[in-house]
Amino acid sequence: MVLSGRIERVTYSSPETGYAVLRIKPKRGARFTAVGHVAELANHAGLEGAEFQFHGTWTMSKYGRQFTFSSCKLVGSELLFFLSKVVKGLGEKLARQLIEEFGEDQLVRILDEEPERLLAVKGIKEKRLQLILKSWHKHRSLRRLSEYLGSVGGPVTPNLLIRIYNHFEDNALKVVRDNPYALTQVRGIGFKTADKIALALGLDPNSVNRIRAAIEHVLVNEAEQNGHCYLEKEEFLSLLQEVLGPDAKDYIGRLAHEALEPMVQEGIVVTGPSGEIGLAAYKYMEDWLKAFFEDNARKGVRPVMEREEVDRFLDDYEERSSISLAKAQREIVTMIATEPKFVFALAGYAGTGKTTVCRAILELLSTRYISKEKIVCCAFTGMASSRLRKTTGYEAFTIHSLLKCQGDGSFEHGPERPLPYRVVVLDEASMVNLPLFFRLARALKPGTLLIMVGDPAQLPPIGAGNVFSDVLSRKLVPAVQLTQIFRQSGDSVLALFANDIRQGKVPEGVEKDGWKDFRYELLEKYNIYAMKKGRTERELKSLREINNQAILNRILELARGYSASLTHPVWDFQVLTPMRVGQLGTEVLNNELQKILNSENRGRCIKRAGIVLKEGDKVVHLQNKDMAVMPWDSFIKNGKDFTSTGFSRIFNGNVGLVSKIDLELEQFYVVYPERIVVAYDFDFIGDIIELAYALTVHKAQGSQYRIVVIPMSNSHFIMLNNKWFYTAITRAEEKVYLIGQPFALKRACTNVQGVRRKTWLNA
């Protein structure tokens, strides 16, 4: 049936799902209730007063007789609806005035081609015009995308539309129409959703294009999620069948062969001597890096020092610094000073003095080798580069800032325009994935000295490859491993305990009170393992929830205490947890911690996707994306009025603070440690940006916090291993708290099983 009417009241609506309960007044007949999904909610449009046509059937529910619609469309002027219901603050009066003055067709042309003409209209200034134009492009894109995807069957939720639009922006419809499998690039959309859309659009299930898309998805997904640069044939076929479904079981090998052969010829995929299958781009990068390391590890021509001169320098350095360097620390300084090679690696676990020896290396190089201006330090994250700058006194950047990311994924510095430095120190090298390592190495001028510093015991990088660990294990470059732990005092045990955990041992004295930088609080209301007999799964689930709630309550108690004692509690107090969901996942923890750590901030706030975002909140960026940016100093000088100075790629895991929320422009601005401000639309909340009071450990890599709190719950059993745990506790600068169950602690210390990344560099 088809019914039409004016929306008199919105009884309920969800901008996330698009589901709405509407009270409708038809032109004739009695008012009725209509329920279903309304695409316009993606733009947070006001629906009251608008007329819609609904396609559906009458149904009976506990609320009475309702018209359940499967689709609906706006009746009347889309332009009037947009101007009066979507653009905030314009109002129906001014909207009608614009349409009367210009006419609908002419106004659409003006919005598309000559928007500056609207500045002559009373009530529209530059800021308002920017908002109108941004809303106009987004509205049209979302409407067309909704109509296109809606034709494949089933309601397309505004949440899904927003995610697609946020990723592809105004090109969304073209990208999806040309290749529905491009949807797999969008965070939260898997191959099955994209495949369902492609098949509904008429693609043959046995199409070579479908198989090619599945092959690329499997290889890219395994690289991004598990770090593998290639897969063995049997594993590859198994994963391929998994994404294509059970119907492909009988002929998966034949289809894969038919699709793979041309992909190999086209240089998209490469195969190895034992049947390995991987993306050709990864193999090219790893082969290039292998040659780069081998070439630069050979003796070259550069100034070097005699060993006796180095010894004199180190003796003098120790005396001036009031420190005593370990044998391995002196060895790496001597190696760099006396061997005419252009690449070195310094590997060291937590507390072994990597920063101390780096300062010595940099002082030696700046006084005996090259001027300080020709030396630069870099790291993967803004926090790490900021810390590097403070601890060494040398210029330090994120790798992306150093290479001058152009905002379209390209970099200003590369083979054609190499970096102007003669010495580059790469800190936290274990965090750097294959593509970024490749970019950095390609941007070095021949004869540049590269010093890589990292901790091989940490979690491997997010994304493909494991370059630093592979270089060490294959002995591709001269390297020194620091192993001696330096304790700050007799009651400081964090580095010692981390070293035990690295080796898969439960540290002796872990439960003892009184450590300055480490505290384990055993908190277990019920021992589930001892109580299993005679209880139902429902009863056991309830007991687990009581255990987890007790852990949560203690974490919040600590947060309240530190909120009062820390100068910057939002930034300095950090919870790290293995999971996103559940009682002790990041979603619940962030919601609770925000109320405590940012309770005093009375600034503006906005709610989207179930998240309340306030000025002063700590947030994390969730995907690699080019964003409008502005220098922090200029932002402050400008009275926090954002004016973009260009675009820069902001990377997954960057953590910053919300500096301002602009309710009129529907934007908020985040400042990051590298002193840049990034503009975000409200719709990015929950998709591209989330609260960061609680983080997963991968998101916290490269960062350090004064106080770190880690829940130890048996509910996280599957995620607990020593590499994760080692990385988590070494994020603490001042003190780490472990709160929870003894079995979870033991599991996290002793579970040393880890997936070895399949890389060509270490094959």
Side-chain angles (χ1 to χ4, degrees):
M1 293 182 66
V2 180
L3 298 178
S4 297
R6 181 171 58 84
I7 298 174
E8 193 173 58
R9 184 178 73 246
V10 179
T11 306
Y12 169 82
S13 69
S14 167
E16 281 72 51
T17 65
Y19 185 77
V21 179
L22 310 168
R23 191 64 177 166
I24 309 298
K25 183 181 180 182
K27 287 184 178 177
R28 294 194 193 90
R31 292 172 173 83
F32 64 91
T33 297
V35 298
H37 291 81
V38 183
E40 278 71 16
L41 286 172
N43 251 333
H44 293 264
L47 299 178
E48 289 180 359
E51 188 172 346
F52 276 79
Q53 186 181 80
F54 304 93
H55 295 250
T57 57
W58 288 104
T59 58
M60 186 62 72
S61 75
K62 64 180 180 178
Y63 301 107
R65 191 164 174 259
Q66 298 176 331
F67 189 76
T68 302
F69 58 90
S70 56
S71 65
C72 66
K73 67 177 182 179
L74 183 69
V75 175
S77 170
E78 181 183 359
L79 188 59
L80 178 61
F81 176 83
F82 160 74
L83 291 173
S84 60
K85 304 293 186 183
V86 176
V87 179
K88 304 295 184 287
L90 198 61
E92 189 165 341
K93 185 179 177 182
L94 184 53
R96 289 190 181 279
Q97 179 188 324
L98 287 171
I99 291 172
E100 287 170 11
E101 184 172 340
F102 295 104
E104 287 208 18
D105 292 344
Q106 177 72 347
L107 187 53
V108 168
R109 192 191 67 77
I110 288 171
L111 285 167
D112 287 337
E113 299 173 16
E114 299 178 280
E116 65 279 356
R117 285 183 59 185
L118 296 180
L119 291 172
V121 177
K122 186 179 179 182
I124 298 180
K125 292 189 166 50
E126 186 66 44
K127 208 169 188 180
R128 175 70 60 81
L129 180 60
Q130 287 178 25
L131 180 59
I132 292 171
L133 291 176
K134 187 172 77 171
S135 297
W136 173 244
H137 291 301
K138 181 177 174 184
H139 170 74
R140 297 188 96 188
S141 294
L142 286 172
R143 161 53 68 184
R144 290 167 181 166
L145 193 61
S146 173
E147 289 172 352
Y148 181 71
L149 293 179
S151 68
V152 305
V156 179
T157 68
N159 190 32
L160 180 66
L161 289 174
I162 288 294
R163 284 179 182 273
I164 296 169
Y165 180 80
N166 284 345
H167 192 90
F168 298 114
E169 297 178 332
D170 290 339
N171 291 322
L173 179 59
K174 183 180 185 306
V175 169
V176 175
R177 186 186 284 139
D178 291 348
N179 178 17
Y181 293 103
L183 287 170
T184 58
Q185 299 171 32
V186 179
R187 180 176 171 268
I189 297 181
F191 181 85
K192 289 184 179 177
T193 300
D195 194 39
K196 180 183 175 185
I197 291 170
L199 293 174
L201 291 170
L203 187 71
D204 180 357
N206 295 330
S207 161
V208 171
N209 288 338
R210 180 177 182 241
I211 311 306
R212 284 174 67 115
I215 289 170
E216 283 199 60
H217 169 73
V218 164
L219 296 177
V220 169
N221 192 62
E222 283 299 300
E224 293 301 313
Q225 299 301 319
N226 298 315
H228 300 313
C229 293
Y230 68 83
L231 295 172
E232 277 134 13
K233 187 175 181 180
E234 290 306 313
E235 183 184 10
F236 166 74
L237 291 175
S238 175
L239 290 168
L240 190 60
Q241 185 195 312
E242 191 178 308
V243 299
L244 291 172
D247 293 344
K249 182 178 180 181
D250 296 333
Y251 47 84
I252 191 74
R254 175 179 60 80
L255 289 175
H257 177 75
E258 289 174 4
L260 271 173
E261 196 169 325
M263 292 178 82
V264 171
Q265 292 171 357
E266 293 166 29
I268 298 169
V269 170
V270 66
T271 56
S274 303
E276 304 94 337
I277 298 164
L279 291 173
Y282 293 142
K283 186 166 194 310
Y284 173 79
M285 286 187 273
E286 292 202 274
D287 288 347
W288 189 94
L289 280 171
K290 184 171 184 288
F292 167 83
F293 289 127
E294 289 175 341
D295 289 347
N296 283 279
R298 296 191 187 100
K299 287 186 178 180
V301 179
R302 72 173 179 87
V304 292
M305 298 166 60
E306 295 296 326
R307 181 175 289 272
E308 292 76 13
E309 188 182 354
V310 180
D311 288 339
R312 285 196 298 273
F313 166 83
L314 289 172
D315 292 342
D316 177 61
Y317 182 84
E318 287 181 329
E319 186 176 341
R320 284 186 288 108
S321 306
S322 300
I323 59 172
S324 178
L325 295 171
K327 182 181 177 183
Q329 288 177 309
R330 294 180 70 104
E331 183 185 349
I332 185 64
V333 179
T334 303
M335 187 183 283
I336 291 170
T338 61
E339 297 185 17
K341 300 174 182 180
F342 291 98
V343 61
F344 296 90
L346 172 61
Y349 307 126
T352 55
K354 294 189 295 295
T355 301
T356 299
V357 75
C358 273
R359 283 197 291 262
I361 291 168
L362 288 168
E363 183 174 320
L364 181 141
L365 291 173
S366 64
T367 55
R368 313 294 171 91
Y369 180 64
I370 201 74
S371 66
K372 189 174 181 178
E373 293 72 31
K374 290 291 183 180
I375 299 173
V376 72
C377 302
C378 62
F380 179 71
T381 67
M383 274 197 196
S385 63
S386 178
R387 190 172 66 249
L388 199 56
R389 191 180 304 112
K390 289 174 185 173
T391 56
T392 65
Y394 284 75
E395 279 280 15
F397 303 91
T398 64
I399 301 170
H400 310 99
S401 298
L402 179 66
L403 298 180
K404 294 189 178 175
C405 182
Q406 296 301 287
D408 57 358
S410 66
F411 294 86
E412 184 176 318
H413 290 293
E416 305 303 318
R417 194 180 175 204
L419 290 164
Y421 303 99
R422 293 284 303 279
V423 176
V424 174
V425 176
L426 172 62
D427 196 22
E428 301 280 6
S430 60
M431 284 186 64
V432 184
N433 64 25
L434 170 63
L436 193 55
F437 228 118
F438 174 74
R439 292 277 196 180
L440 177 62
R442 292 256 293 171
L444 299 180
K445 191 184 296 183
T448 299
L449 176 59
L450 173 64
I451 302 168
M452 301 177 289
V453 183
D455 184 346
Q458 284 192 28
L459 285 169
I462 297 173
N466 201 11
V467 178
F468 186 65
S469 288
D470 288 347
V471 165
L472 294 175
S473 63
R474 289 289 302 274
K475 296 182 171 55
L476 292 176
V477 306
V480 170
Q481 175 83 57
L482 304 181
T483 56
Q484 183 178 332
I485 307 292
F486 292 92
R487 295 178 68 171
Q488 294 178 337
S489 61
D491 57 354
S492 294
V493 294
L494 179 54
L496 287 174
F497 284 3
N499 196 47
D500 286 338
I501 291 164
R502 177 185 65 80
Q503 298 174 73
K505 299 186 292 189
V506 178
E508 188 177 340
V510 71
E511 295 181 11
K512 182 181 170 184
D513 286 336
W515 300 126
K516 180 182 177 183
D517 54 3
F518 190 98
R519 180 173 172 80
Y520 168 55
E521 296 185 14
L522 192 158
L523 191 55
E524 185 172 49
K525 296 283 186 181
Y526 297 101
N527 184 334
I528 306 295
Y529 294 103
M531 301 173 67
K532 274 189 172 182
K533 193 172 181 181
R535 283 183 169 81
T536 65
E537 184 52 44
R538 186 174 180 178
E539 290 171 328
L540 293 173
K541 182 174 182 286
S542 176
L543 296 177
R544 289 188 195 99
E545 288 172 354
I546 293 171
N547 280 340
N548 287 336
Q549 188 61 44
I551 296 170
L552 174 60
N553 291 343
R554 177 56 183 144
I555 290 172
L556 300 182
E557 187 182 342
L558 280 170
R560 279 187 283 271
Y562 276 107
S563 179
S565 63
L566 290 172
T567 307
H568 304 290
V570 167
W571 195 251
D572 291 336
F573 185 89
Q574 185 65 52
V575 176
L576 299 179
T577 184
M579 310 279 274
R580 283 179 51 82
V581 297
Q583 282 174 282
L584 295 169
T586 57
E587 292 177 2
V588 170
L589 283 162
N590 272 316
N591 184 49
E592 296 299 323
L593 290 165
Q594 180 194 47
K595 297 172 189 174
I596 297 168
L597 298 172
N598 197 19
S599 62
E600 297 302 313
N601 197 309
R602 305 298 183 196
R604 299 179 184 91
C605 68
I606 179 66
K607 184 174 182 180
R608 285 285 194 278
I611 297 171
V612 176
L613 193 73
K614 300 164 62 178
E615 290 180 344
D617 273 334
K618 180 163 59 177
V619 292
V620 58
H621 186 92
L622 298 174
Q623 58 182 262
N624 301 338
K625 185 173 176 64
D626 298 331
M627 304 292 295
V629 300
M630 180 182 187
W632 168 251
D633 293 340
S634 303
F635 182 67
I636 293 300
K637 197 174 182 180
N638 222 23
K640 291 193 174 182
D641 190 7
F642 185 88
T643 305
S644 174
T645 55
F647 284 80
S648 183
R649 180 149 289 197
I650 308 301
F651 285 81
N652 185 0
N654 278 25
V655 174
L657 295 174
V658 177
S659 181
K660 178 186 175 183
I661 294 175
D662 190 321
L663 297 174
E664 184 184 355
L665 284 180
E666 297 195 340
Q667 284 190 327
F668 60 97
Y669 309 102
V670 176
V671 57
Y672 287 103
E674 49 268 51
R675 299 182 67 80
I676 60 166
V677 179
V678 179
Y680 293 88
D681 293 341
F682 284 177
D683 283 336
F684 289 175
I685 300 170
D687 179 22
I688 294 172
I689 212 88
E690 280 183 353
L691 294 173
Y693 298 101
L695 291 170
T696 58
V697 175
H698 252 130
K699 289 284 191 290
Q701 270 187 281
S703 302
Q704 285 196 294
Y705 307 90
R706 284 184 64 186
I707 308 298
V708 169
V709 181
I710 305 168
M712 305 303 299
S713 169
N714 295 347
S715 299
H716 298 156
F717 176 85
I718 196 169
M719 299 293 292
L720 301 176
N721 63 68
N722 71 324
K723 216 170 186 68
W724 171 88
F725 198 32
Y726 173 90
T727 307
I729 69 169
T730 54
R731 298 310 89 209
E733 288 181 333
E734 192 172 297
K735 190 162 189 173
V736 63
Y737 287 86
L738 312 178
I739 312 294
Q741 298 173 274
F743 180 79
L745 174 66
K746 182 180 178 182
R747 165 83 176 178
C749 293
T750 60
N751 178 24
V752 295
Q753 295 177 358
V755 177
R756 179 178 170 270
R757 295 192 168 192
K758 301 179 181 72
T759 65
W760 304 105
L761 196 57
N762 198 31

